[in-house]
Amino acid sequence: MNFDFSDDARTLQDQARRVFDETAGPDAARAVMNDPDKHYDEAIWKQAVELGLTAIRVPEEHGGVGLGAEEACLIAEEIGRGLVPAPLISTMLFTEALLIAGSAEQQAKWLPGVADGSVIGCFGWGEGASQLPSSMPDTRMAKGGLTGTKSPVADAPIANAAVVSYAGEDGPALALVDLSRDDARVTVVETLDLVRPHGTIELKGVEAEPLGTSADYQDFLDRAAVLLSFEALGTQDAAMRMAVDYAKERVAFGQRIGRYQGVKHNAADMYVKGELARAHAMHGAWAFQAGSPELRQAAAAARTASLDAVTYTAEENVQMHGGIGYTWESNCQFYYRRARAISAMLGSRGFWSDRLVRSLENRNAEAA
Amino acid sequence: MNFDFSDDARTLQDQARRVFDETAGPDAARAVMNDPDKHYDEAIWKQAVELGLTAIRVPEEHGGVGLGAEEACLIAEEIGRGLVPAPLISTMLFTEALLIAGSAEQQAKWLPGVADGSVIGCFGWGEGASQLPSSMPDTRMAKGGLTGTKSPVADAPIANAAVVSYAGEDGPALALVDLSRDDARVTVVETLDLVRPHGTIELKGVEAEPLGTSADYQDFLDRAAVLLSFEALGTQDAAMRMAVDYAKERVAFGQRIGRYQGVKHNAADMYVKGELARAHAMHGAWAFQAGSPELRQAAAAARTASLDAVTYTAEENVQMHGGIGYTWESNCQFYYRRARAISAMLGSRGFWSDRLVRSLENRNAEAA
Amino acid sequence: MDFNDTAEEAAYREKVRAWIAENTKEYEGQGAAKTNEEFVARQKSWQKKKYDAGYAGITWPKKFGGQGKGPMESIIFSQEEGKSAAPTGLYAIGLGMCIPTVFTHGSQEVVDRFVPVALEGEEIWCQLFSEPAAGSDLAGIRTKAEKDGDEWVINGQKVWTTNAHLCDYGIIVTRTDPSAPKHKGLTMFIVDMHSEGVEARPLKQMSGGSDFNEVFFDDVRVPDAWRLGDEGQGWQVALTTLMNERLAVGGKPRYSPDWRALLNLAKEIETVLGPASEQADVREEIAKAYINDHGVKLTQQRALSALSQGKTPGPEQSISKVVVAKQMQEISRIALDLSESQGFVKAEPGSELDRFQSSYFGAAGLRIAGGTDEILRNIIAERVLGLPGDLRPPKDTPFNELKPV
Amino acid sequence: MDFNDTAEEAAYREKVRAWIAENTKEYEGQGAAKTNEEFVARQKSWQKKKYDAGYAGITWPKKFGGQGKGPMESIIFSQEEGKSAAPTGLYAIGLGMCIPTVFTHGSQEVVDRFVPVALEGEEIWCQLFSEPAAGSDLAGIRTKAEKDGDEWVINGQKVWTTNAHLCDYGIIVTRTDPSAPKHKGLTMFIVDMHSEGVEARPLKQMSGGSDFNEVFFDDVRVPDAWRLGDEGQGWQVALTTLMNERLAVGGKPRYSPDWRALLNLAKEIETVLGPASEQADVREEIAKAYINDHGVKLTQQRALSALSQGKTPGPEQSISKVVVAKQMQEISRIALDLSESQGFVKAEPGSELDRFQSSYFGAAGLRIAGGTDEILRNIIAERVLGLPGDLRPPKDTPFNELKPV
């Protein structure tokens, strides 16, 4: 048994972390937020491409390096930690959709561009209030044309192509849309996250290709959940470190506030939630990599636990900072807002805890 | 506006508290627990009767003092605080059922005995796992004979008469059974509360009288919920005081543990939960007394909040005591066990929070 | 026990309701003020009307221009005022906290100069307490005041000052003796917000709003006659102010959504099992919201009853904010989650969802403002339950020799 | 990343599985032991078999009679042993905590005398640390040891001693110099539990069970040769023992119900809306239980991976108990609530409901045993996150001059 990432994967993670430590983080996020014309930091995107981060999962035949889920997960964690203001997570999800469900032609058309950084991808499932990732979308395909409205879609305003959910024959399924087409209309939509751009994709009979089956869609949800769990864990860890660092320095009533159990136990709770989520996320990474049937439950557990961890930590990070944490100048807001963005990316907590129990029920029934 | 109990009611409460301070409390509870032949403390019962506590709600025409809900609630609180090992709460519920739904004859037959202490009453709704106070009971009435099994019924082994729920025409309703009849079989049933006796009442066509309508039954549930909320608050307050007293004295790492925020904030949470529940319980007492239509929601809120408060406090009282709190010799166990008993007495938290929302929905719909 | 007005209360309510109805007509249908000037002008006009009609300072002693009535009258007036179109808010801190401190601790001269004008609404006041390094630990403030003849010279920075940019005067806590122990070297003054050297800058919050200010003091001079209490007695004087604050705050912000908002939102959300409002987990949250929100309201009514009977409501009041702020954060997050991806899209201003979104940010601030959850729990445990205080460094060390541990 | 056994691990597992299967036949179908003697006899026979076959002290150094293997082998053996009918438990503390302390700190003489006999199972050991006034604060113990020639005389009381009434020897922390600072006046010894003056009394728990003892020492004599470590070094020696404890505890008690138990219970409970297992609030609790329970299991596997790669698992392990104990209390309470009034009636021994009822009581103890939730959170915050310690009274005050504040 070896329940840890490989040394190679860790080395890649360290590289990414070093780069993002220098170039990304809250300051870079703030720069993008403050510039209304800037949807992302192109220099960081370029650097990430040069580092091969968009190419890790792309097979060698398509110009990538063909690495596994472990590497992708650890990179997602670093993207989360650095609040990286570039469309890396979106492009990762786009890539996974093609890997799971894309035909040889579809892969050959899009993946080389992903690997060399010329293609930014995005993924859209949402259509309005109360819809869940498992609901049948209103978006329909007829005669190769896709009609519907997907919103909010992260990074849509800067993406070249989108994978979106639509009403497949026996459940929601994925379709691929070239956003450079004139009839694919993308408008910017304002969200609670002021850094990552979001868009509405309006499709009125836009030419689009189906991408696999509805079973593929379900598998895609699992993989996406695992990747987003690692993003959440990176963000959570950064917020926790920020809180802890402040508690070590801030003085009230003559002592550093980190001495008070009220503060200390709060920090411990952040850590406990983070570690529980990390264990499930690693389980998910293993199941993803190994193609194990445990992936369904592991992914749902990882998503549920990581949303809990990042939400709690983002909220309590503000609290631990006191008044200063509530100011615009403080970096607390980036974590507070990003936690909402991660949740919106793929259905919120309630959907995933229910999916977890459904998969546990199935497993229980099989065992019986 | 005067949102406080009357001075007269407070005076009565003080009297009861003084008496129970001397005679009841954990030591008296322990004595009953340790004596397998003793179901309750007859001396305390006698004293309570002499003090008029069983007579407070009984109309003067039946030998009582005809006081209102305020007094009954405050007495219930003292019974809870003192863990009083005598069938006072059961008899109070029995009395309320007769007051709400009893005919002139029924009242004349039973209430004088309640007032002078010669009648111990009890109330039974439970019939098995998962049944709720609102479910249609299996117990049926046919030709004046009642058939069914009610269990666990608090104080049944020592009661002269029982009010039980049965399947009325349009919902659960109440019936009155004379337990001195040879064919009313009561057996002792062991529960998690080792002080208050519980029984199973087995009825096979036992002669019994209907007590009011199913609407009366619903009203009775509300009043019972308010009374039990006050019992819970008394128990909660006693457990909190026990925890706080210990935290003021116990020393660890050179200081009284009450100085640590970990302990202090826990105590504060006990207090906050207790005060919230108290406010709702007082609202319930007012609505009970005033016959206000707000009673339904106030009673459900009081019951939900008081179960939360007493459960939390009973659990954390053990925790705050550390190892000693987990011993048989410690009095912590009485509160831990009694919290379960109070819950079992009338449907647990989930039922009542749902009933609360249902009544809020109705109110909301009326307002719209 | 009686939730209804007594006969006297009902009569008073009737009287003020009629007066308010008559006198707020001009504000009806007015939108939000477009400029600071317009905002201030409306507030001033309403305060003046109240003053003229004998509804200003309802609970203040008559000798300070008040009406000498009980808290119940004051609450009744506020309730009726709240239901009307009256423009309120600007005087809450000045008349609720600052002026009571002025008339309790100021010289006769100062009282005569400031109190009537303030009550009439002519001059607006703010409270200058918190500093960047002294929030919960107010006695840790560093803003200096040094004596220079008959005047004092103030240097330093305050923060979280409500409406400082609209105010004429403020009450300020300063350190006048850094070599005295922390709590003993403080002195309080009245300061003219229009003096040279005072600069108020809006402080932008995480939510994007700017309800507060940072205020910088650069060689600002105040006359010794404007001192409140003796030199070195600033801590005691500040406690008076804070005592009044405790009575004033604690409620739920008006814009904050309650159980009803969650119920209404959940009713509109269709799930495979029917409306979300029928799901057990959502119902549980609605129940919790009612228990917390309404429980706090009932607790405040208990305190009000005590007050009106001449009893002092205890620090039991502290439960209010500790319950309300966290509840507001939870209910908002739950509503956003229930709304799924739509909950993440910036909502239409004024919509139900917008209220939840604003509250999700506002709650993070409310959990801190006026005492963090942690400080409030300490207060409850220590003052109500009698638990001992946190272990702290020695109290008698001179302030300028304090070394944080 | 690989959850499966490596080839070597699989081979080892195969080997031990076969051996265990062969050697536990005699225990199959045995009910619970009826007497202490029978209980001890079974445990002794199994330990002896393991010893003879080379499966005792798997991770111990060979020079102390161990097998010198890695933690993975030890875990594999325990896993397979756990699936069998083997009677285990009595040696967990002695061989897991006491004897490692003995062979780390005892003289050669002492090691030769005690270690092999203990490993063979002939002598049973207990750990005498906690006292009524020293639980979390172990260094606050008061049991005295005074030197008398070549012997020490022990007086005092220990508590929460597992199986003291069945044990032959124990390791005990005593205070040998009350005038030294708290942590510096301690010394550890081996004590013969059959000596005159030792009395073990069962300690009844809130749950009704008696898994622990109080042990009284009245002029009990131990030879100086049985000292573990130097005089005054007892704190350092005790830390060795506790370090081993940290590796040993943390898991969930075997009898404790998990998410599966709650799911099964909820499936059987019919509500007006169908089985309780379909209700959103119950599903949420099942999900939480899985996330906590299985998350802890996975975290332990992470630690095991680290161990087997020669890395030291950090105090990250502390999260285990803090999560598990509270989760156990919650899930049990929820199950009892779901069972309504039936959940309150003493359940059939061995039934699902009985497990929830026992766990509701057991959890209250588990939240305290081996470090309260509060202490564990402190450990996580201080040792993992590097936050500063609680402010405490001076460390160098002589123990007998300490005055609690």
Side-chain angles (χ1 to χ4, degrees):
Chain A
M1 197 200 71
N2 175 21
F3 189 22
D4 198 359
F5 290 97
S6 70
D7 289 343
D8 284 356
R10 289 285 186 203
T11 305
L12 185 65
Q13 177 184 29
D14 287 346
Q15 282 174 358
R17 188 189 302 206
R18 269 197 304 275
V19 169
F20 293 149
D21 268 357
E22 270 176 34
T23 57
D27 291 347
R30 189 178 292 275
V32 170
M33 175 176 79
N34 285 343
D35 184 347
D37 297 330
K38 200 169 169 179
H39 281 321
Y40 71 110
D41 186 320
E42 293 181 37
I44 294 182
W45 171 257
K46 226 179 123 199
Q47 209 172 18
V49 170
E50 278 162 17
L51 203 61
L53 299 189
T54 60
I56 33 174
R57 289 281 289 155
V58 174
E60 291 181 26
E61 59 195 286
H62 298 309
V65 285
L67 293 174
E70 289 194 24
E71 283 80 3
C73 288
L74 292 178
I75 295 308
E77 182 177 352
E78 294 313 312
I79 295 166
R81 190 189 318 280
L83 296 165
V84 177
L88 287 162
I89 289 285
S90 291
T91 303
M92 284 175 101
L93 298 187
F94 176 82
T95 307
E96 285 308 324
L98 277 162
L99 290 174
I100 284 184
S103 65
E105 293 75 33
Q106 287 170 328
Q107 295 192 356
K109 181 172 173 199
W110 292 104
L111 292 181
V114 166
D116 70 19
S118 60
V119 166
I120 291 173
C122 66
F123 163 65
W125 67 276
E127 295 192 345
S130 87
Q131 208 217 6
L132 299 173
S134 59
S135 323
M136 197 59 135
D138 284 336
T139 300
R140 312 259 145 187
M141 175 103 65
K143 298 179 199 154
L146 206 57
T147 300
T149 305
K150 309 304 290 189
S151 177
V153 183
D155 296 314
I158 52 175
N160 306 94
V163 165
V164 299
S165 63
Y166 77 101
E169 267 171 45
D170 47 359
L174 295 172
L176 183 59
V177 187
D178 185 342
L179 292 180
S180 65
R181 296 179 53 93
D182 285 346
D183 55 355
R185 215 176 138 236
V186 178
T187 48
V188 172
V189 57
E190 205 185 332
T191 67
L192 300 186
D193 185 310
L194 304 176
V195 176
R196 184 178 286 170
H198 285 74
T200 297
I201 305 180
E202 254 182 284
L203 303 165
K204 291 186 180 155
V206 174
E207 197 184 302
E209 301 170 13
L211 207 58
T213 64
S214 53
D216 289 333
Y217 174 72
Q218 297 299 331
D219 290 344
F220 168 74
L221 286 187
D222 293 335
R223 291 196 188 183
V226 173
L227 288 170
L228 291 171
S229 300
F230 277 92
E231 186 198 12
L233 282 174
T235 301
Q236 190 263 348
D237 194 58
M240 179 178 76
R241 300 293 160 190
M242 184 183 173
V244 166
D245 286 348
Y246 188 73
K248 285 178 188 169
E249 291 187 0
R250 172 73 179 186
V251 171
F253 301 103
Q255 55 190 305
R256 287 173 288 157
I257 61 170
R259 288 197 189 278
Y260 296 110
Q261 288 189 356
V263 170
K264 205 178 284 197
H265 291 180
N266 204 343
D269 287 344
M270 291 179 182
Y271 181 80
V272 168
K273 285 178 202 287
E275 284 302 288
L276 280 182
R278 184 171 304 277
H280 286 291
M282 286 174 72
H283 186 208
W286 165 78
F288 180 172
Q289 176 113 334
S292 158
E294 281 180 41
L295 177 58
R296 181 93 359 127
Q297 91 194 44
R303 172 84 174 154
T304 309
S306 64
L307 285 178
D308 283 348
V310 73
T311 302
Y312 179 83
T313 307
E315 288 177 3
E316 298 306 316
N317 181 35
V318 181
Q319 181 68 15
M320 227 182 271
H321 276 76
I324 191 82
Y326 189 57
T327 61
W328 189 258
E329 272 61 43
S330 163
N331 290 333
C332 290
Q333 65 158 311
F334 294 112
Y335 302 103
Y336 202 79
R337 293 174 182 279
R338 181 55 53 90
R340 298 312 311 167
I342 294 171
S343 171
M345 200 85 181
L346 198 66
S348 67
R349 198 191 174 294
F351 166 72
W352 286 98
S353 69
D354 189 75
R355 186 171 166 107
L356 169 59
V357 178
R358 192 64 64 205
S359 88
L360 293 175
E361 285 171 326
N362 292 339
R363 177 178 147 193
N364 210 33
E366 280 163 24
Chain B
M1 197 198 74
N2 175 22
F3 190 21
D4 199 359
F5 290 97
S6 69
D7 289 342
D8 285 354
R10 288 284 184 203
T11 306
L12 184 64
Q13 176 184 30
D14 288 346
Q15 281 175 357
R17 189 188 302 205
R18 269 198 304 276
V19 169
F20 293 149
D21 267 357
E22 269 176 36
T23 57
D27 291 345
R30 190 178 291 276
V32 170
M33 175 176 79
N34 285 343
D35 184 347
D37 297 330
K38 201 168 169 180
H39 281 320
Y40 71 109
D41 187 321
E42 292 180 40
I44 295 182
W45 172 256
K46 224 179 124 199
Q47 209 171 19
V49 170
E50 277 163 19
L51 204 60
L53 300 188
T54 60
I56 33 174
R57 290 281 290 155
V58 174
E60 291 180 26
E61 58 195 287
H62 298 308
V65 285
L67 293 174
E70 290 194 25
E71 284 79 3
C73 288
L74 291 178
I75 295 307
E77 183 177 350
E78 295 312 312
I79 295 166
R81 189 188 319 280
L83 296 164
V84 177
L88 288 162
I89 289 283
S90 291
T91 303
M92 284 176 100
L93 299 188
F94 177 81
T95 306
E96 286 307 325
L98 278 162
L99 290 175
I100 286 184
S103 64
E105 292 75 32
Q106 288 169 328
Q107 294 191 357
K109 180 171 175 199
W110 292 104
L111 291 182
V114 166
D116 70 19
S118 60
V119 166
I120 292 173
C122 66
F123 163 63
W125 66 277
E127 296 191 344
S130 87
Q131 208 218 5
L132 299 173
S134 59
S135 324
M136 198 59 136
D138 284 336
T139 299
R140 313 259 146 188
M141 175 102 66
K143 299 178 199 156
L146 206 58
T147 300
T149 304
K150 307 305 290 190
S151 177
V153 183
D155 297 314
I158 52 176
N160 307 94
V163 165
V164 300
S165 64
Y166 77 102
E169 265 171 47
D170 47 0
L174 295 172
L176 183 58
V177 188
D178 184 342
L179 292 180
S180 66
R181 295 178 53 92
D182 286 345
D183 55 354
R185 217 177 135 233
V186 178
T187 49
V188 172
V189 58
E190 206 185 331
T191 68
L192 300 186
D193 186 308
L194 304 176
V195 175
R196 184 177 286 169
H198 285 73
T200 297
I201 305 180
E202 255 181 283
L203 304 166
K204 289 184 179 157
V206 174
E207 196 183 303
E209 300 170 12
L211 207 57
T213 64
S214 53
D216 289 333
Y217 174 72
Q218 296 299 330
D219 290 343
F220 168 74
L221 287 186
D222 294 335
R223 291 196 188 182
V226 173
L227 289 170
L228 291 171
S229 301
F230 278 93
E231 185 198 12
L233 282 174
T235 302
Q236 190 263 348
D237 193 58
M240 179 177 76
R241 300 293 160 190
M242 184 184 173
V244 166
D245 286 347
Y246 188 72
K248 286 178 187 170
E249 290 186 2
R250 172 73 179 186
V251 171
F253 302 103
Q255 56 190 302
R256 287 173 287 157
I257 62 170
R259 288 197 189 278
Y260 296 111
Q261 288 189 356
V263 169
K264 205 177 285 196
H265 292 180
N266 205 343
D269 287 344
M270 291 178 182
Y271 180 79
V272 169
K273 284 178 203 288
E275 284 302 288
L276 280 181
R278 185 171 304 277
H280 286 291
M282 286 175 71
H283 186 207
W286 165 78
F288 179 171
Q289 176 112 336
S292 159
E294 281 180 41
L295 177 58
R296 180 93 0 126
Q297 91 194 43
R303 172 84 173 153
T304 309
S306 65
L307 285 177
D308 283 349
V310 72
T311 301
Y312 179 83
T313 307
E315 289 177 3
E316 299 306 316
N317 181 35
V318 180
Q319 180 68 14
M320 227 181 270
H321 275 77
I324 191 82
Y326 189 57
T327 62
W328 189 257
E329 271 63 41
S330 164
N331 289 333
C332 290
Q333 65 158 310
F334 294 111
Y335 301 103
Y336 201 80
R337 293 173 181 280
R338 181 54 53 89
R340 298 310 313 164
I342 293 170
S343 171
M345 200 86 180
L346 199 66
S348 66
R349 200 192 171 293
F351 167 72
W352 286 97
S353 69
D354 189 75
R355 186 172 167 105
L356 169 59
V357 178
R358 191 65 62 205
S359 89
L360 292 175
E361 285 172 327
N362 292 339
R363 178 179 145 190
N364 210 34
E366 280 163 25
Chain C
M1 212 183 267
D2 191 353
F3 271 87
N4 299 321
D5 286 339
T6 61
E8 298 87 58
E9 287 162 2
Y12 186 76
R13 190 183 296 279
E14 203 39 60
K15 195 177 102 184
V16 305
R17 184 184 288 161
W19 182 83
I20 290 171
E22 183 58 32
N23 287 278
T24 53
K25 278 185 191 147
E26 65 176 282
Y27 309 113
E28 278 163 27
Q30 286 185 326
K34 278 178 205 71
T35 61
N36 278 342
E37 290 68 32
E38 194 182 340
F39 173 74
V40 170
R42 284 185 198 171
Q43 301 264 342
K44 279 198 175 171
S45 78
W46 175 239
Q47 184 64 24
K48 183 71 166 66
K49 286 191 197 190
K50 291 203 286 185
Y51 181 80
D52 291 342
Y55 292 121
I58 293 177
T59 59
W60 289 12
K62 289 195 171 164
K63 65 172 167 174
F64 298 126
Q67 309 301 323
K69 292 193 184 296
M72 202 57 86
E73 281 85 355
S74 173
I75 293 285
I76 289 173
F77 190 91
S78 299
Q79 287 172 342
E80 297 301 324
E81 190 183 33
K83 290 182 212 154
S84 77
T88 61
L90 185 56
Y91 296 93
I93 288 173
L95 299 181
M97 301 170 63
C98 302
I99 300 299
T101 309
V102 170
F103 67 61
T104 309
H105 297 283
S107 65
Q108 189 56 47
E109 209 179 339
V110 157
V111 170
D112 293 343
R113 158 69 188 83
F114 288 112
V115 175
V117 203
L119 194 56
E120 201 172 0
E122 207 37 59
E123 292 170 350
I124 305 163
W125 287 65
C126 60
Q127 175 205 330
L128 299 148
F129 277 26
S130 292
E131 297 185 6
S136 301
D137 180 13
L138 175 60
I141 59 119
R142 289 167 191 186
T143 293
K144 269 188 315 191
E146 288 164 310
K147 198 152 189 193
D148 181 22
D150 268 359
E151 293 187 323
W152 294 81
V153 182
I154 300 178
N155 279 288
Q157 182 195 347
K158 295 289 175 179
V159 74
W160 301 112
T161 316
T162 308
N163 289 327
H165 58 302
L166 305 177
C167 284
D168 302 298
Y169 294 91
I171 58 175
I172 187 168
V173 193
T174 65
R175 185 163 304 278
T176 46
D177 184 359
S179 66
K182 192 168 159 182
H183 291 80
K184 296 193 172 154
L186 305 175
T187 307
M188 267 183 72
F189 299 96
I190 294 170
V191 58
D192 179 347
M193 296 297 286
H194 304 297
S195 316
E196 202 174 331
V198 177
E199 189 195 351
R201 293 183 204 154
L203 180 65
K204 196 168 171 187
Q205 296 138 232
M206 183 170 90
S207 58
S210 296
D211 303 327
F212 305 97
N213 297 268
E214 297 178 285
V215 186
F216 297 84
F217 294 86
D218 181 16
D219 282 340
V220 174
R221 305 186 81 89
V222 299
D224 184 56
W226 288 10
R227 192 169 18 79
L228 294 171
D230 289 341
E231 201 180 322
Q233 290 293 304
W235 180 245
Q236 285 69 25
V237 179
L239 286 183
T240 322
T241 318
L242 294 176
M243 214 98 94
N244 284 300
E245 182 178 28
R246 199 172 319 127
L247 293 176
V249 303
K252 204 170 161 162
R254 256 206 213 176
Y255 64 90
S256 156
D258 63 358
W259 64 267
R260 207 177 267 108
L262 183 59
L263 173 58
N264 290 336
L265 185 96
K267 265 160 64 178
E268 298 303 317
I269 290 178
E270 273 305 317
T271 74
V272 275
L273 305 160
S277 59
E278 284 302 314
Q279 286 178 19
D281 55 345
V282 177
R283 294 177 79 75
E284 176 57 36
E285 296 300 336
I286 295 169
K288 254 194 247 166
Y290 174 81
I291 286 171
N292 286 329
D293 290 346
H294 199 65
V296 163
K297 223 183 252 177
L298 292 166
T299 302
Q300 284 167 338
Q301 284 174 324
R302 288 180 64 198
L304 184 60
S305 276
L307 259 180
S308 74
Q309 289 166 26
K311 301 174 196 158
T312 319
E316 288 83 352
Q317 277 279 72
S318 302
I319 78 162
S320 168
K321 205 179 71 82
V322 78
V323 171
V324 158
K326 192 86 181 76
Q327 170 64 40
M328 183 171 151
Q329 195 171 36
E330 302 265 314
I331 199 180
S332 305
R333 183 187 345 98
I334 287 159
L336 298 190
D337 273 358
L338 268 180
S339 306
E340 282 294 341
S341 56
Q342 218 51 35
F344 176 60
V345 174
K346 188 93 186 72
E348 199 70 30
S351 66
E352 194 91 305
L353 191 55
D354 177 52
R355 285 173 70 208
F356 282 113
Q357 290 182 345
S358 309
S359 290
Y360 187 58
F361 287 88
L366 192 66
R367 285 181 61 197
I368 295 161
T372 61
D373 289 359
E374 289 75 18
I375 294 291
L376 292 176
R377 281 202 173 76
N378 264 16
I379 289 176
I380 292 169
E382 294 171 15
R383 297 200 208 152
V384 186
L385 301 176
L387 287 171
D390 298 345
L391 203 57
R392 286 194 180 149
K395 265 202 150 176
D396 37 10
T397 313
F399 182 75
N400 54 13
E401 289 172 23
L402 278 176
K403 283 194 194 68
V405 292
Chain D
M1 212 183 266
D2 191 353
F3 270 87
N4 299 321
D5 285 340
T6 62
E8 298 88 56
E9 287 163 4
Y12 186 77
R13 188 183 296 278
E14 204 39 62
K15 195 178 104 184
V16 304
R17 183 183 291 160
W19 182 83
I20 290 171
E22 183 58 34
N23 285 277
T24 54
K25 277 186 192 146
E26 65 175 282
Y27 309 114
E28 278 163 28
Q30 287 184 326
K34 278 176 206 71
T35 61
N36 278 341
E37 289 68 31
E38 195 183 338
F39 173 74
V40 170
R42 285 186 198 170
Q43 300 264 341
K44 278 197 174 173
S45 78
W46 175 240
Q47 183 65 25
K48 182 71 165 68
K49 285 192 198 189
K50 291 203 285 185
Y51 181 80
D52 291 342
Y55 291 122
I58 293 176
T59 58
W60 289 13
K62 288 194 172 165
K63 66 172 166 172
F64 298 126
Q67 309 301 323
K69 292 194 183 297
M72 204 56 89
E73 280 86 353
S74 173
I75 294 285
I76 289 172
F77 190 91
S78 299
Q79 288 172 341
E80 297 302 322
E81 191 183 34
K83 289 182 213 155
S84 78
T88 61
L90 185 57
Y91 296 94
I93 288 173
L95 299 180
M97 301 170 63
C98 302
I99 300 297
T101 309
V102 169
F103 67 62
T104 310
H105 297 285
S107 65
Q108 189 57 47
E109 208 179 338
V110 157
V111 169
D112 293 343
R113 157 68 187 85
F114 288 111
V115 175
V117 202
L119 195 56
E120 201 173 359
E122 207 35 60
E123 291 170 351
I124 304 164
W125 287 66
C126 61
Q127 177 205 330
L128 299 148
F129 278 27
S130 291
E131 296 185 7
S136 301
D137 181 12
L138 174 61
I141 60 120
R142 290 166 190 187
T143 292
K144 267 189 315 191
E146 288 165 309
K147 199 151 188 196
D148 182 21
D150 269 0
E151 294 187 325
W152 293 81
V153 183
I154 300 178
N155 280 287
Q157 183 196 346
K158 296 288 177 179
V159 75
W160 301 113
T161 317
T162 307
N163 289 326
H165 57 304
L166 305 177
C167 285
D168 302 298
Y169 293 92
I171 58 175
I172 187 169
V173 193
T174 65
R175 185 163 304 279
T176 46
D177 184 0
S179 66
K182 194 168 157 182
H183 291 80
K184 295 194 172 153
L186 305 176
T187 307
M188 267 184 71
F189 298 96
I190 294 170
V191 59
D192 180 346
M193 295 296 286
H194 305 297
S195 318
E196 203 174 329
V198 177
E199 190 194 350
R201 293 184 204 155
L203 180 64
K204 195 167 171 186
Q205 296 138 232
M206 184 170 89
S207 58
S210 295
D211 303 328
F212 305 97
N213 297 269
E214 297 178 285
V215 186
F216 296 85
F217 294 85
D218 182 14
D219 282 340
V220 174
R221 306 186 81 87
V222 299
D224 184 57
W226 288 10
R227 194 172 13 81
L228 295 171
D230 290 341
E231 201 180 320
Q233 290 292 304
W235 180 245
Q236 285 69 27
V237 179
L239 286 184
T240 323
T241 317
L242 294 176
M243 214 97 95
N244 283 300
E245 182 179 28
R246 201 175 315 128
L247 294 176
V249 302
K252 204 170 161 161
R254 257 205 212 177
Y255 65 90
S256 156
D258 63 358
W259 62 267
R260 207 177 268 107
L262 183 59
L263 173 58
N264 290 336
L265 185 96
K267 265 159 69 179
E268 299 303 318
I269 290 178
E270 273 305 318
T271 75
V272 275
L273 303 161
S277 58
E278 284 302 314
Q279 286 177 20
D281 56 344
V282 177
R283 295 177 78 75
E284 176 56 36
E285 296 300 337
I286 295 169
K288 254 195 246 165
Y290 174 81
I291 286 171
N292 286 328
D293 290 345
H294 198 65
V296 163
K297 223 183 251 178
L298 292 165
T299 302
Q300 284 167 338
Q301 284 174 322
R302 288 180 65 199
L304 185 60
S305 276
L307 259 181
S308 74
Q309 289 166 27
K311 301 173 196 159
T312 318
E316 287 83 352
Q317 277 279 71
S318 302
I319 78 163
S320 168
K321 204 178 72 80
V322 77
V323 171
V324 158
K326 192 87 181 74
Q327 170 63 41
M328 184 171 150
Q329 194 171 36
E330 302 264 314
I331 199 180
S332 305
R333 185 189 342 101
I334 287 158
L336 298 189
D337 272 357
L338 270 180
S339 306
E340 282 295 343
S341 59
Q342 217 51 37
F344 176 60
V345 174
K346 188 92 185 74
E348 199 70 32
S351 66
E352 195 90 305
L353 190 55
D354 177 51
R355 285 172 70 208
F356 281 114
Q357 289 183 345
S358 308
S359 290
Y360 187 58
F361 286 89
L366 192 66
R367 284 181 63 198
I368 294 161
T372 61
D373 289 359
E374 289 75 20
I375 293 291
L376 293 175
R377 281 202 173 77
N378 264 17
I379 290 177
I380 292 169
E382 294 172 16
R383 299 202 205 150
V384 185
L385 300 176
L387 287 171
D390 297 345
L391 202 57
R392 286 191 182 151
K395 265 204 148 175
D396 36 10
T397 313
F399 183 74
N400 54 14
E401 290 173 21
L402 279 176
K403 284 196 193 67
V405 292

